[in-house]
Every structure is written in C-alpha cells, then in structure tokens.
C-alpha cells in the first residue's frame, strides 16, 4: 500500500514534519506549497531531504485559480505554471494538484476548462509531468468531483487525471457511489480526510476541522470502497487541515494518521472481498468481553489506605502474588490488584504519578491476535521480564503511558489468578460483599487535545464505537466526555478531555502528572441494597446537594417517597426512553481519583451526563483544604 500525508497535516518546520512522517511508516509525502515557501533551502535540497528519509514526493500542491481564466490572466496563469514545473523538477516529483478555480474573474463552462487542461496536459507531458484536477467544495464553477471528472474526461489527455478528496465529496453530501463509474487509471491521486459533522461554511470547516479517517463523522469508508472498486492502485494520502494538529506532537499525529489508514483499508478489504487491497493481513477488530482487572501502583502506606477503601466497598483480600508484592482484591467478577513492588513498571508509574491505576486487563477471545492487531496499528507493545511463577501476558501501552494487558480463555492465561496468586491466610473476617458484580466502566482523563488519538486507538483495535461527545460543565471550565463501547456493553470506557487545570479533571491530571484513570465504576443489581450494606461498612458516600433532589423530583415527576430514598442514600438518578440509571459516588481518594457505583435498569445505555455538574461540585467541595470554613 502506497501511503502519503500532506505536510500541511503535521506541526513543526519541514525538517520535523519529514522526520515524523518517515518514522510513522508512510511511503510518500505531499509537499504543500507553503511549507516549501517557508523553508530556508532550495527545491533540490528539499527533494534530497525527503529522499534521505526514504520518502518520495508524491505530489506538489496546490496550484490555484487555473482553469477558465479570460485573457490577459490566462496567459499569465500559464506562465506561472511553468515556474512551478521548474520547482517540481528540482523537487523530484511528477504530479501537480490543480484545485478548482475560486477567482471571481474566472469563467465557467466545462469545455472551456477542458481546453485549458488539454493545453496544460500538453505542457506537462513535454516535461515528463502529470496534472491532477481536484474540485474544491467551494470552487466557483467546479465544486463537485463529477464536474471535475467531466472536465478531465473531455480534456482527454494522458497527462491529466482527476484527484478525489473525500472531504470535498462528503462534506457536500455528494454520493460517493458516483465514483465507481470513473476509470481507475484516470484517477491521478486520492486524498482522504474525515471531519466532525458541524453546520458551518464549507471552506472554514475544511481548513480548520478536518481529522483522520475514523475520527470524524463522514463516511470515508464508503468513499474508499468506491475508489477501490474503480481499480485505482495509486497513492492513498491524508490531507488534514486541523487547528489542533498544527500545534500537536508531529510524531503522534503522524502515527494517528497511519493508524487511520491501516484501519480504513482493513475495513474496506473486509467489506469488498473481491477487491485486492495491498495490505498485510491483520486480525479483525477485537471484541472485548469485559475488564478482567485493574491494577494500582502504590507504596505500602497508600496500599493500606486503598485497601481500607476497598474493604469498605465490600472487596475481599483474596490473594498474594507468588513472587511479588502484589495483592488481589475481589468482589463479584471484579479483580483489583495493588502493586507495591520497589522495581519494575508499576514502581516507575508510582514514582511518576503517585498512587494511580497503572494497568488495565481486558478479557478478549485471543490475546495474541489482539496484540498482533494492535501492533499492525502502530500501538506500542509492552514487555517486562516475567518474574518467577509469572505468565507472559500480551500487553501494549495505552493512555498516559499506562499498560493494557490482554487475557483470554483459550490459553493458560485463563488461569492467571490461580497460577500467579496464593490465597491469603488471614485472621481478617472476610468482608461481606455489597453486591458489586463487575466493572461497568473505566473513566480516563486526558488533555482535550489527546481525545481524538485515544478514540482512534480504541475504535481501531477493538470492536467498539464512540458515542457523541457531550460537554460537562465544571465550575472551573468545560470537560468534554465521550464513551467508547462495545455493542453488548461489556466494554465501556469514558474519555474525559480537560481544557484547563481549574476543572476537577484538569486538577487531577496536574496532580497525577499526566493522563490516567480518574474513576472506576462498579455495577450493582440493586443500588439501594448496596447503599445499605455500604453504610453498614462505614462507607461515607459523596454528599449531594439537597437542591439536586428537589429539581430531580420536579423534572421527572418522581414520587416524593422515592426521591426521599435517593436523597437519604446520596444516589443520583437519570432516565431516558430506554431505562433508568442510578449512581453513587465514593469520596475522593487523593487528588481527584474516585469510585462510582451504578445500576442500569432497562436499556439505559448512558452515563448520567446531566448529573455530572452536581457531582463535580460536590467533589470540589469535599476536596477543599481542611480548616477552611464551609460557605
Ligand atoms: O483549502 C484549500 O485551499 C485546499 C487546497 C488544496 C486541497 O487539496 C484542498 O483539499 C483544499
Ligand atoms: Mg484536497
């Protein structure tokens, strides 16, 4: 598969861009004119630099306002194009992108444009070059790939083809199926971009909000299926204008782009089995059957405090690791692991982040195949020498450089708890459970800028989808929240993007030095019974404002007795057409980490977003430094 990315998609100067693009694994690069103009070396030097990185220049772009010009502009335009041909010769590239004319002086007419392209093709051919014509969605006369193709068809010149850019086609709502009738050898180049559905001016949308295929809402898969059906076998390139990406890490954006291409082409191949896609085989997206364990890194003192909290929540100290300072806590199918080792990954995580979640174990059908797919998608494998009696469990790096392990039922990994842990012979009276059954969701907090990266990470490796983004109002600013979930709800991960340090999420990130799991939500089948047993264990839930309950009763028309039950137990409530949701929160552990207990009734599939501001305000109150008067 020949892949490329336009230099405009990546931040930094041209040197940094090329280094990032090369290391991510692309074969080519589109040189965007501005990147060349801003560079302090000549075209030959740029060409050499690109080739030194093992890359090719797939295309030079854009040449603007070419077709349909009246004289004297027309002659000047042809002079201008010759200058660009000189640059292309020095760069060492043979394809120029001409985008449709936006000039108010330009004249319409398919035949006029076709005649201009025939002449341009003639000139290009004399110099061993080729031309690709792209319809900008806001082009003055040509703004639809069908018209661009008609111009190219009538130009009827071997050096002139059409360039299709998924953004321009899909943003205008043009049916991508119309691409299937274009002969593949008349498609000069393919540019891909996705974008979130936002109702705004096409040009502004295109220049600021594009993102990687799979990160937005456009049907780039349908677009690419149609392209591949034409027999096209040229370069597949990303052209992403995005304000956020312009300031992000060049390497991370380059890797995201590569991941998006592999994921997209893998999808296309599965949907169009009759079409050859030149991509190494990789296992299909992985179904996750649940979160098998969550591991905390801690020191001994904090391990005791954390353990006390687990015990109050009904967890039982169920095992000690055969060779490490690691304790297993269990309730229902929930496994919490506390690692107080003085070396290794968990210790390193503890030193950087303090007591925090350092590892998440996912239950999959085939752990090895999961690792294989993740690697093909450029995830970073994680390995640590196995200690005595330990299994080698496939793993990768995840959010905040944490680790994600994969466990399955078909290998010895199925018996990991029996193999690696010994029951504790303790005098402790086993804690009676409080009815927690499984991990409902894991909430990870990150900088807002990282959200697309991790959304793509989860949705490309695992068989999951993302829910629409919701805004959560924290008194200190906005937090954006998006869930990644499997169709059966067995895996639910919520990603929270903080935009500043004044929000609870932002403060948590500042205090724990990076992105991390901020809360774990456990499921119960009877939240009122669970609340009672928690109270009996001395568990003090997060105190919710009485104002909330008054509003709740009015909003949902609740029976006052029912509202009283909720109020008495500090349980939050939500409801939609499908069902009901109940939430109960623990106090904060440290600087903003917490637990949640939830009950889903009926088909409720959300996360109680409307309750979040009330919960956050309560958490902020409880985090206030002791000694300050309560307002
Ligand atoms: O926004 C633009 O002008 C522009 C230029 C070149 C392209 O290939 C494109 O898709 C958009
Ligand atoms: Mg384009």
């Amino acid at each position: 598969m020949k892949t490329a990315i336009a230099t405009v998609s990546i931040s930094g100067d041209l040197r940094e861009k090329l280094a990032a693009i090369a290391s991510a694994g692309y074969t080519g690069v589109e040189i965007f004119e501005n990147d060349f103009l801003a560079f302090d070396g000549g075209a030959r030097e740029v060409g050499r630099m690109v080739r030194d990185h093992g890359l090719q220049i797939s295309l030079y772009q854009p040449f603007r306002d070419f077709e349909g010009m009246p004289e004297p502009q027309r002659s000047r335009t042809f002079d201008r194009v010759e200058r660009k041909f000189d640059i292309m010769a020095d760069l060492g590239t043979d394809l120029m992108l001409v985008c449709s004319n936006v000039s108010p002086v330009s004249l319409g007419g398919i035949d006029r444009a076709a005649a201009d392209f025939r002449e341009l093709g003639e000139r290009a051919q004399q110099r061993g070059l080729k031309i690709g014509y792209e319809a900008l969605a806001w082009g003055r006369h040509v703004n639809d790939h069908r018209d661009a193709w008609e111009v190219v068809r009538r130009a009827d010149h071997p050096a002139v083809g059409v360039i299709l850019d998924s953004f321009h086609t899909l943003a205008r709502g043009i049916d991508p199926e119309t691409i299937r009738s274009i002969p593949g050898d008349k498609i000069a180049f393919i540019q891909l971009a996705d974008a979130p559905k936002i109702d705004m001016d096409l040009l502004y949308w295109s220049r600021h909000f594009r993102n990687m295929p799979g990160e937005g809402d456009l049907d780039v898969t349908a677009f690419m299926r149609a392209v591949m059906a034409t027999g096209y076998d040229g370069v597949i390139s990303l052209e992403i204008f995005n304000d956020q990406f312009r300031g992000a890490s060049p390497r991370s954006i380059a890797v995201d782009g590569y991941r998006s291409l592999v994921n997209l082409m893998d999808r296309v191949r599965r949907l169009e089995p009759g079409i050859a896609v030149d991509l190494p085989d990789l296992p299909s997206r992985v179904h996750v059957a649940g979160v098998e364990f969550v591991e905390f890194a801690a020191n001994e003192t904090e391990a005791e405090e954390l353990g006390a909290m687990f015990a109050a929540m009904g967890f039982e100290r169920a095992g000690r690791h055969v060779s490490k300072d690691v304790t297993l806590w269990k309730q229902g199918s929930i496994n919490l692991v506390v690692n107080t080792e003085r070396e290794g990954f968990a210790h390193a995580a503890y030193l950087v982040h303090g007591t925090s979640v350092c590892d998440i174990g996912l239950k999959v059908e085939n752990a090895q195949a999961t690792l294989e797919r993740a690697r093909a998608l450029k995830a970073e494998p994680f390995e640590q020498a196995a200690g005595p009696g330990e299994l080698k469990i496939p793993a990768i790096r995840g959010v905040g450089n944490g680790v994600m392990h994969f466990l399955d039922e078909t290998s010895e990994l199925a018996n990991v708890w029996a193999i690696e842990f010994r029951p504790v012979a303790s005098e402790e009276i086993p804690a009676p459970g409080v009815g927690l059954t499984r991990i409902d969701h894991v909430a990870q907090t990150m900088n807002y800028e990282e959200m697309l990266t991790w959304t793509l990470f989860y949705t490309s490796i695992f068989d999951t989808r993302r829910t629409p983004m919701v805004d959560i109002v924290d008194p200190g600013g906005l937090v954006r929240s998006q869930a990644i979930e499997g169709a059966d709800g067995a895996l639910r991960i919520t990603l929270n993007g903080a935009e500043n340090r004044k929000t609870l999420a932002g403060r948590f990130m500042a205090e724990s030095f990076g992105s991390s799991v901020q809360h774990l939500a456990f499921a119960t089948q009877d939240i009122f019974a669970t609340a009672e047993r928690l109270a009996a264990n001395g568990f003090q839930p997060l105190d919710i404002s009485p104002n909330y309950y008054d509003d709740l009763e009015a909003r949902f028309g609740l029976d006052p007795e029912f509202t009283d039950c909720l109020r008495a137990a500090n349980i939050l409530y939500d409801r939609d057409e499908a069902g009901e949701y109940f939430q109960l929160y623990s106090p904060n552990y440290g600087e903003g980490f917490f637990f949640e207990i939830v009950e889903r009734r009926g088909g409720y599939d959300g996360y109680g977003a409307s309750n979040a501001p009330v919960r956050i305000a309560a958490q902020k109150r409880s985090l206030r430094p002791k000694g300050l008067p309560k307002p």
Side-chain angles (χ1 to χ4, degrees), residues 30 32 59 61-64 97-99 102 134-138 163 165 167-168 191 203 206-207 210 239 241:
E30 296 180 33
F32 209 78
L59 169 159
Q61 76 137 333
F63 190 78
R64 298 186 189 274
L97 178 150
V98 176
C99 55
V102 301
E134 173 195 47
L136 294 178
W138 54 90
I163 290 182
D165 177 325
F167 180 87
H168 297 299
Q191 293 182 316
L203 183 148
S206 172
R207 296 227 177 124
R210 290 186 181 205
E239 187 197 27
F241 306 88

Side-chain angles (χ1 to χ4, degrees), residues 97-111:
L97 178 150
V98 176
C99 55
S100 59
N101 203 323
V102 301
S103 164
V105 307
S106 68
L107 304 171
I110 297 266
D111 284 324

Side-chain angles (χ1 to χ4, degrees), residues 139-217:
R140 192 166 181 91
H141 302 286
V142 172
N143 48 39
D144 182 320
H145 71 250
R146 289 168 294 194
D147 292 339
W149 159 234
E150 186 56 21
V151 169
V152 167
R153 197 184 67 78
R154 292 193 204 176
D156 191 23
H157 194 283
V160 178
V162 67
I163 290 182
L164 303 171
D165 177 325
S166 62
F167 180 87
H168 297 299
T169 293
L170 300 171
R172 286 189 68 95
I174 299 165
D175 184 355
E177 293 303 301
T178 56
I179 292 168
R180 288 183 190 256
S181 57
I182 304 174
D185 61 356
K186 292 304 280 182
I187 300 176
F189 200 73
I190 292 296
Q191 293 182 316
L192 295 178
D194 202 336
K197 276 246 159 68
I198 320 175
D199 193 13
M200 70 164 71
D201 170 70
L202 284 168
L203 183 148
Y204 198 79
W205 187 20
S206 172
R207 296 227 177 124
H208 301 273
F209 293 95
R210 290 186 181 205
N211 54 25
M212 303 299 175
E215 291 182 344
D217 300 319

Side-chain angles (χ1 to χ4, degrees), residues 49 146 292 428:
M49 213 162 71
R146 289 168 294 194
E292 177 68 18
E428 283 175 46

